[in-house]
């Protein structure tokens, strides 16, 4: 929409507003709003109950735009129209208003400002324009049928069915409430805090949702009666039956009877398979039931039908893309969700919710700068959007702009004091900044809203520890453990107790061990190895980083044979890059689908974390230009070393991936040396970015056009200095995850040693993998150099001790 058109639209809304702001206080109260609703719907006769329901919906939905006691502000009325509540031009003409130099109004058509409810809950087909042929609604109609004059109900025969359905639902609710009250008296609550799914409106306030007991006899009777009601609907002609099933489904959806609503929408799909509406509605019901994959399929059908119908459903297309994106996020497919949020924003540039969801999804995959841009656009379009401010704060914090982040979190909290995410994330920021007391306050406020949040309780404990309030921290840890019984909370409590005991023991014994946990960070040149089997400190540091990424992405649970199978079954057409060389490239969204197959054992939330890590560490390097496409063969080769399976097999699949991406099929056993060198350079840039690779091309002859075999490739790959010889250290860490060293603990972090143990030869203190790689030594043992020997297991340590004892004994016996 051009700025001129936007200004014209705003002027029309202003004139409508001024027409009904009879007291001139800058707001439309309930009486003034009622007059507006009636005036723009001259052909509809509203009952008092209907008017009241309409006003309740408007004032609830746009509570952020209510100035007490004046009422709905001009900005709020403009927002209702922006959200698709009505047609400004039609309302303007219906009121016989005019602008300077504007033509006389055309024949009036009626619209309603009360249809500002979410498209996931209202009929997507309507623009809230009243057709004189549509019958007026009844006072006994379902809640959704009282909030707007037009919901697509085209036949008189539908209304009696809705009236009867309301009676059935009220009867069922009455019986189940009686049972619920009895359960409540026994200490069992049948109610819980409920917040609607995001969709386009993303209502933040919690509603009280009734939980239907579908296993009860009352519910069985209700289903039988509902089946009879559907039979009455089917007895009519196809169009009437379709109208009835859609209305029944929507009413059931509003009552949170999602399973039965889905049955009605699916029956409507059977009657008119090419209609967008039943697929769209079925998708919303499936999402509410947690069946995200099926919801996605229904939204895809709705999208296909909408695109095939020309401009008939153009106004619904952005909403289909938004809901499809949310369904994809429910499956963990965030990159694919971004595609649809972006499309919705293109189709409707003022769709601030699509922009907010796009920004949140981009943040979820680690693209913080792009997320910042989308979220800033969302808050520009709607400054009072608390969720957008919160996510913008998270993106800014991730980029290190903490002062701006604090401002955004605070804006979200000011707009909504109980905004849990803003409070929680602000607490994390403050803790990162070392402001532990203030962070503890934030987590306390989170717990006031969500008393059962074990994560908030655990973080509060950590913040209290940072603030040296050890007793309070201990209490918070115990509370967190009561809530969840998770192992990490138990470990934190055990570690706290161990530190406390060590401090007491140290004070009493005068031990030389640094009981306060103080340490020195020693230069790498002062760390000497005893034997070549002891890992170099820097190599271990790099391998630990790779291992952390491997575990975060769960690639260590992806079998290398599965990767090989996926590679052979994936057919990617050749495309031409900027250099002119044909490659098998793929969009990031397509790559995410392949990753989902490889990591199909992961839950959606865990898979999202895996995609984020892959995008930040691998795809950001492979797609440095930001084209959105990556070389699939190279990607397979980059992740192959981190998959599970024998080391030699991993290397072979790397080579096969390089063969697979080549266009010259005539040389199926050789790869170009240039490709191998470029791959190694990229591999090191991804996994060992701290090591310089600028000289590698020159040293290995980048311009060499020759072909190399697998054995020659292995020589390049295994090179410790210029290749990926660190893989052997990584494999050692993989095996070490299952190795313990008895009662030995690290002299720095005090945790039991897992994996390799590094023992200093002179002072006899031991370090874990992490502390050794970071160059930490106890401050009590300061010396010019430190000599370490690595023990892969306690058996090795015992053998070494026995060998030393034997040698010492022989030396003593040989003395005269």
């Amino acid at each position: 929409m051009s700025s001129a058109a936007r200004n014209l639209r705003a002027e029309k809304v202003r004139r409508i507003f001024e027409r009904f702001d009879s007291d001139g206080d800058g707001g439309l109260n309930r009486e003034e709003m009622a007059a507006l609703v009636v005036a723009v719907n001259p052909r509809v006769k509203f009952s008092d109950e209907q008017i009241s329901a309409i006003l309740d919906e408007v004032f609830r939905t746009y509570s952020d735009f209510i100035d007490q006691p004046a009422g709905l502000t001009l900005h709020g009325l403009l927002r209702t129209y922006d959200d698709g509540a009505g047609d400004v031009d039609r309302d303007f003409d219906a009121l016989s208003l005019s602008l300077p130099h504007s033509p006389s109004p055309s024949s009036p058509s009626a619209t309603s400002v009360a249809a500002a409810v979410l498209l996931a809950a209202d009929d997507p087909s309507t623009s809230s324009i009243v057709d004189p042929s549509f019958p007026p609604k009844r006072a006994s109609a379902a809640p959704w049928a009282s909030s707007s004059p037009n919901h697509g109900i085209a036949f008189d025969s539908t209304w009696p069915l809705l009236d009867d359905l309301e009676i059935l639902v009220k009867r069922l609710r009455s019986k189940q409430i009686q049972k619920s009250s009895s359960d409540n008296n026994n200490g069992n609550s049948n109610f819980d805090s409920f917040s609607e799914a995001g969709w386009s409106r993303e209502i933040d306030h919690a509603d009280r949702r009734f939980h239907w007991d579908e296993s009860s006899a009352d519910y069985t009777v209700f289903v039988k009666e509902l089946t009879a009601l559907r039979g009455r609907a089917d007895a009519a002609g196809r169009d009437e039956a379709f109208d009835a099933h859609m209305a029944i489904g929507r009413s059931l959806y509003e009552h949170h009877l999602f399973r039965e609503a889905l049955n009605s929408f699916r029956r409507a799909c059977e009657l008119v398979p090419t209609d967008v509406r039943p697929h769209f509605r079925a998708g919303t019901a499936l999402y509410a039931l947690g069946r995200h994959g099926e919801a996605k399929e229904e939204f895809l059908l709705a999208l296909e039908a909408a695109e095939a119908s020309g401009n008939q459903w153009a106004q619904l297309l952005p909403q289909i893309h938004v809901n499809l994106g949310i369904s994809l996020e429910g499956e963990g497919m965030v990159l694919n969700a971004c595609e649809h949020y972006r499309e919705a924003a293109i189709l409707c540039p003022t769709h601030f919710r699509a922009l907010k969801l796009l920004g949140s999804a981009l943040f979820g995959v680690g693209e913080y700068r792009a997320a910042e841009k989308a979220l800033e656009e969302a808050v520009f379009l709607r400054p009072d959007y608390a969720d957008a401010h919160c996510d913008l704060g998270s993106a800014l914090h991730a980029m290190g702009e903490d002062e701006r982040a604090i401002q955004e979190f605070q804006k979200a909290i000011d707009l909504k004091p109980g905004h849990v995410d803003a409070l929680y994330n602000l607490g994390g920021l403050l803790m990162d900044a070392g402001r532990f007391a203030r962070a503890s306050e934030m987590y306390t406020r989170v717990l006031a809203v969500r008393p059962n949040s074990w994560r908030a309780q655990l973080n509060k404990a950590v913040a209290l520890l940072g603030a040296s309030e050890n007793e309070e921290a201990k209490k918070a840890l115990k509370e967190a453990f009561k809530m969840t019984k998770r192992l990490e909370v138990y470990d934190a409590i055990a570690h706290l107790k161990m530190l406390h005991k060590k401090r007491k023991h140290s004070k009493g014994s005068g031990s030389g061990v640094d009981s306060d946990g103080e340490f020195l960070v020693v230069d790498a040149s002062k760390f000497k190895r005893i034997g070549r089997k002891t890992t170099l400190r820097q190599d271990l540091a790099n391998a630990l980083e790779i291992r952390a990424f491997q575990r975060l992405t769960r690639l260590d649970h992806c079998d290398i044979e599965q990767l090989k199978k996926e590679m052979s079954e994936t057919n990617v057409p050749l495309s031409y890059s900027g250099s002119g060389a044909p490659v098998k490239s793929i969009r990031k969204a397509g790559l995410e689908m392949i990753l989902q197959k490889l990591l199909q054992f992961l839950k959606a939330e865990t898979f999202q974390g895996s995609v984020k890590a892959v995008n930040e560490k691998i795809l950001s390097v492979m797609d440095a230009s930001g084209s959105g496409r990556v070389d699939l063969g190279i990607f397979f080769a980059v992740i192959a070393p981190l998959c599970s399976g024998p080391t030699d097999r991993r290397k072979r699949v790397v080579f096969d991936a390089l063969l697979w991406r080549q266009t010259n099929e005539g040389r199926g056993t050789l790869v170009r040396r240039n490709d191998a060198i470029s791959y190694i350079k990229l591999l090191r840039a991804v996994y060992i970015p701290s090591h310089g690779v600028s000289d590698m091309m020159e040293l290995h002859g980048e311009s060499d056009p020759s072909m190399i075999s697998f054995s020659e490739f292995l020589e390049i790959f295994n090179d410790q200095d210029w290749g990926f010889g660190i893989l052997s250290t990584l494999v050692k860490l993989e095996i070490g995850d299952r190795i313990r060293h008895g009662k030995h603990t690290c002299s720095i972090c005090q945790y039991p040693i897992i994996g390799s143990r590094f023992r200093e030869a002179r002072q006899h203190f031991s370090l874990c993998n992490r502390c050794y790689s970071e160059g930490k030594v106890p401050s009590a043992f300061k010396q010019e150099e430190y000599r370490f020997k690595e023990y892969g297991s306690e058996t090795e340590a015992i053998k070494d001790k026995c060998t030393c004892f034997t040698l010492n004994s022989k030396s003593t016996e040989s003395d005269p």
Side-chain angles (χ1 to χ4, degrees):
M1 183 185 293
S2 67
S3 60
R6 176 70 182 173
N7 291 337
L8 179 62
R9 176 185 175 86
E11 178 60 22
K12 287 185 175 183
V13 174
R14 186 182 68 80
R15 288 178 178 262
I16 294 172
F17 182 87
E18 290 176 348
R19 170 75 171 269
F20 292 94
D21 184 17
S22 55
D23 54 9
D25 62 354
L28 299 180
N29 57 31
R30 291 181 71 89
E31 289 75 16
E32 293 165 342
M33 276 298 298
L36 171 57
V37 172
V38 172
V40 298
N41 295 288
R43 300 175 184 272
V44 180
K45 294 182 180 179
F46 292 105
S47 67
D48 292 340
E49 291 84 358
Q50 288 174 321
I51 289 291
S52 179
I54 290 171
L55 297 180
D56 288 344
E57 179 66 18
V58 172
F59 278 73
R60 178 179 66 83
T61 303
Y62 296 95
S63 59
D64 293 338
F65 296 92
I66 303 298
D67 284 347
Q68 297 295 348
L72 184 71
T73 63
L74 172 59
H75 190 196
L77 184 63
L78 179 61
R79 183 65 64 196
T80 66
Y81 284 112
D82 286 345
D83 288 348
D87 188 306
V88 175
D89 296 326
R90 291 189 179 93
D91 279 5
F92 192 79
D93 292 344
L95 295 171
S96 300
L97 298 173
S98 62
L99 293 170
H101 310 295
S102 67
S104 59
S106 58
S107 58
S109 299
T111 61
S112 169
V113 298
V117 287
L118 176 63
L119 283 177
D122 272 347
D123 196 314
S125 69
T126 67
S127 60
S128 71
I129 301 172
V130 174
D131 189 311
S133 64
F134 288 171
K137 283 161 293 308
R138 311 172 181 202
S140 60
W144 63 268
S146 301
S147 62
S148 180
N150 179 357
H151 291 272
I153 297 177
F155 295 92
D156 285 330
S157 58
T158 298
W159 291 106
L161 294 174
L162 284 183
D163 290 340
D164 292 347
L165 178 59
E166 283 301 300
I167 293 171
L168 296 179
V169 172
K170 287 177 181 177
R171 183 190 304 160
L172 176 64
R173 184 187 295 273
S174 176
K175 290 180 179 179
Q176 294 211 348
I177 283 178
Q178 292 176 10
K179 181 182 177 182
S180 175
S181 298
S182 175
D183 290 341
N184 287 340
N185 291 335
N186 295 327
N188 299 319
S189 175
N190 202 36
F191 290 88
D192 193 14
S193 175
F194 173 72
S195 181
E196 288 187 356
W199 307 113
S200 73
R201 186 171 59 177
E202 295 188 339
I203 295 178
D204 299 317
H205 65 273
D207 194 4
R208 298 301 287 177
R209 173 184 174 185
F210 187 83
H211 289 264
W212 301 99
D213 181 5
E214 297 183 3
S215 62
S216 68
D218 298 328
Y219 193 87
T220 303
V221 172
F222 168 75
V223 171
K224 288 181 180 177
E225 294 173 329
L226 181 59
T227 302
L229 197 68
R230 290 193 179 112
R232 287 166 53 192
D234 283 330
R238 190 193 72 160
D239 291 343
E240 285 189 58
F242 175 82
D243 187 62
H245 282 295
M246 286 296 295
I248 290 170
R250 292 176 56 206
S251 188
L252 290 167
Y253 184 94
E254 288 298 309
H255 287 295
H256 303 303
L257 289 158
F258 302 122
R259 200 178 308 279
E260 297 306 322
L262 175 62
N263 292 335
S264 292
F265 295 138
R266 281 190 164 160
R267 176 58 184 144
C269 288
E270 293 172 1
L271 291 167
V272 188
T274 58
D275 197 297
V276 174
R277 292 168 295 175
H279 292 296
F280 184 85
R281 299 277 171 207
T284 65
L286 285 164
Y287 187 89
L289 290 167
R291 294 156 64 176
H292 302 145
E294 295 174 76
K296 176 192 70 176
E297 295 303 321
E298 289 293 342
F299 287 128
L300 285 171
L301 289 172
L303 182 62
E304 182 182 348
E307 290 177 339
S309 64
N311 293 326
Q312 182 182 358
W313 303 103
Q315 66 179 25
L316 182 59
L317 271 174
Q319 190 58 36
I320 296 175
H321 280 292
V322 165
N323 287 15
L324 180 54
I326 291 172
S327 295
L328 286 163
E329 278 202 73
E331 288 191 295
M333 305 288 283
V334 187
L335 288 173
N336 279 268
C338 287
E339 299 277 301
H340 289 284
Y341 297 144
R342 194 175 283 113
E343 186 64 24
I346 291 171
L347 291 170
C348 182
T350 59
H351 202 316
F352 55 86
R353 295 180 183 94
L355 288 163
K356 183 269 174 189
L357 289 167
L358 173 61
S360 301
L362 288 168
F363 171 78
V365 294
E367 297 186 11
Y368 304 124
R369 190 62 65 185
E372 177 196 12
K373 183 178 179 181
L375 290 164
E376 283 185 337
E377 184 67 18
V379 298
F380 174 78
L381 292 170
R382 185 169 182 179
D384 60 345
Y385 201 170
D387 280 0
H389 283 293
C390 175
D391 289 354
L392 178 55
S394 297
L396 291 169
H397 176 45
M399 294 187 295
E401 299 184 33
D402 287 351
E403 289 306 315
R404 286 181 61 200
I406 291 173
Q407 292 175 10
E408 294 301 327
F409 286 136
Q410 196 57 57
K411 285 178 185 176
I413 295 167
D414 290 343
L415 289 165
K416 185 182 176 186
H419 200 296
V420 172
D421 288 339
L423 292 167
Y424 188 91
N425 294 342
L426 180 55
L429 186 156
L430 293 168
M431 196 151 60
D432 290 344
R435 297 162 63 179
F436 298 109
R438 183 80 175 122
S440 173
E441 291 176 18
M442 292 299 108
Y443 293 124
T444 300
R445 290 180 63 179
V446 171
L447 291 165
V449 181
R450 300 283 167 84
N452 296 323
S453 173
W454 69 267
R455 295 184 188 277
Q457 191 70 258
L458 180 60
N459 280 334
K460 179 182 177 181
V462 175
L464 288 168
L465 274 175
S468 300
E469 297 184 26
N470 294 338
E471 290 303 317
E472 292 299 318
K474 206 178 300 182
K475 291 177 185 177
L477 275 175
K478 289 180 179 178
E479 285 298 318
F481 185 63
K482 285 180 186 177
M483 292 177 185
T484 181
K485 305 291 185 183
R486 293 177 73 95
L487 184 61
E488 55 261 46
V489 182
Y490 174 80
D491 287 344
I493 295 172
H495 184 59
L496 194 64
K497 288 180 178 178
M498 182 184 69
L499 287 176
H500 184 64
K501 287 179 181 178
K502 281 184 176 288
R503 287 193 183 101
K504 288 178 67 177
H505 175 72
S506 177
K507 288 177 182 177
S509 64
S511 167
V513 177
D514 191 350
S515 63
D516 291 331
E518 294 181 3
F519 56 84
L520 301 173
V521 178
V522 179
D523 187 82
S525 62
K526 294 186 177 182
F527 267 39
K528 305 298 182 181
R529 295 186 297 164
I530 299 177
R532 294 184 60 83
K533 289 184 178 181
T534 300
T535 307
L536 284 169
R537 172 177 148 186
Q538 188 56 50
D539 284 351
L540 181 59
N542 291 327
L544 282 170
E545 290 302 312
I546 300 171
R547 178 61 179 146
F549 172 76
Q550 186 186 34
R551 297 176 72 173
L552 178 61
T553 57
R554 308 305 200 276
L555 285 171
D556 56 339
H557 293 285
C558 173
D559 190 89
I560 191 65
E561 299 304 330
Q562 179 64 28
L563 178 64
K564 172 68 175 175
K565 180 173 180 287
E566 185 63 34
M567 188 166 60
S568 62
E569 293 178 353
T570 302
N571 184 20
V572 179
L574 291 174
S575 59
Y576 286 84
S577 64
S579 62
V583 295
K584 294 181 178 179
S585 69
I586 189 172
R587 288 191 63 80
K588 286 184 180 181
L591 182 63
E592 185 180 49
M593 293 180 182
I594 294 174
L595 262 180
Q596 191 184 46
K597 293 179 185 177
L598 295 173
L599 303 173
Q600 57 186 320
F601 49 85
L602 295 181
K603 293 182 179 179
E605 185 178 354
T606 309
F607 179 69
Q608 281 189 23
S610 178
V611 170
K612 177 182 180 180
V614 168
N615 190 49
E616 287 183 307
K617 194 170 187 71
I618 300 178
L619 303 187
S620 62
V621 177
M622 292 184 65
D623 182 31
S625 64
S627 66
R629 304 187 70 88
V630 294
D631 185 323
L632 185 57
I634 291 294
F635 177 77
F636 283 142
V638 168
I639 66 171
L642 274 60
C643 292
S644 64
T647 308
D648 291 343
R649 185 58 184 157
R650 300 186 206 182
K651 296 174 184 177
R652 179 70 227 191
V653 173
V654 167
F655 188 76
D656 290 343
L658 296 178
L659 285 171
W660 179 80
R661 69 182 291 272
Q662 287 184 170
T663 58
N664 189 346
E665 302 296 339
R667 303 182 184 180
T669 60
L670 303 175
V671 300
R672 287 182 286 269
R673 179 179 289 274
N674 288 351
D675 289 349
I677 296 300
S678 297
Y679 160 71
I680 294 294
K681 179 180 180 181
L682 176 68
L683 192 67
R684 290 176 65 87
V686 169
Y687 295 125
I688 321 176
S690 59
H691 276 202
V693 292
S694 58
D695 298 331
M696 189 180 68
M697 293 292 97
E698 181 180 344
L699 289 173
H700 287 74
E702 183 181 12
S703 60
D704 189 345
S706 63
M707 308 294 287
I708 61 173
S709 65
F710 177 57
S711 58
E712 293 172 303
F713 171 76
L714 285 180
E715 292 180 12
I716 300 173
F717 187 92
N718 292 332
D719 191 292
Q720 286 290 341
D721 296 323
W722 301 108
F724 202 66
I726 199 172
L727 180 59
S728 59
T729 305
L730 177 63
V731 172
K732 188 190 296 185
L733 290 176
E734 294 173 2
I735 298 170
D737 284 347
R738 299 182 291 274
I739 295 174
R740 304 292 186 273
H741 290 266
K743 295 182 179 180
H744 287 284
T745 60
C746 175
S747 297
I748 301 299
C749 66
Q750 306 298 329
Y751 274 108
I753 294 177
I754 299 173
S756 293
R757 175 164 73 95
F758 294 86
R759 184 172 182 271
E760 208 282 322
R762 183 179 301 174
Q763 300 294 345
H764 306 302
F765 62 85
S766 296
L767 299 179
C768 65
N769 278 325
R770 177 63 62 185
C771 292
Y772 172 79
S773 70
E774 294 173 355
K776 295 177 180 177
V777 297
S779 56
F781 301 138
K782 187 175 181 181
Q783 52 195 48
E784 284 302 313
E785 69 174 26
Y786 302 83
R787 302 177 71 246
F788 288 95
K789 185 163 187 178
E790 179 180 358
Y791 295 107
S793 66
E794 202 53 29
T795 303
E796 290 182 15
I798 292 171
K799 285 182 179 179
D800 186 58
K801 188 175 182 180
C802 291
T803 302
C804 291
F805 178 77
T806 302
L807 289 174
N808 288 335
S809 298
K810 289 181 178 180
S811 176
T812 302
E813 290 173 2
S814 64
D815 288 341

